[in-house]
Amino acid sequence: MLMLSGIVAQQMEWYGLSSRLFAYMALCAVGYVISWLCLAYVNMRHMGRRLKVSRDQDQP
């Protein structure tokens, strides 16, 4: 939605608005990447703990 709004604003020569919309798109992309990295980190920690627990249960 932001991308379409930015393109329309650029076509109508509203450069101030279009640059602001493209900046919002960039912030959204950065936020998405950061949240994805946090999710990957949490999943790796969770998998590591599960593997450690299963290894501890296997050993007598």
Side-chain angles (χ1 to χ4, degrees), residues 4-18:
L4 288 175
S5 300
I7 291 169
V8 168
Q10 199 169 32
Q11 291 297 322
M12 296 180 76
E13 298 179 359
W14 295 341
Y15 296 114
L17 178 63
S18 68

Side-chain angles (χ1 to χ4, degrees), residues 51-60:
L51 288 173
K52 184 180 179 196
V53 167
S54 67
R55 273 189 259 144
D56 291 343
Q57 289 176 353
D58 289 343
Q59 293 177 354

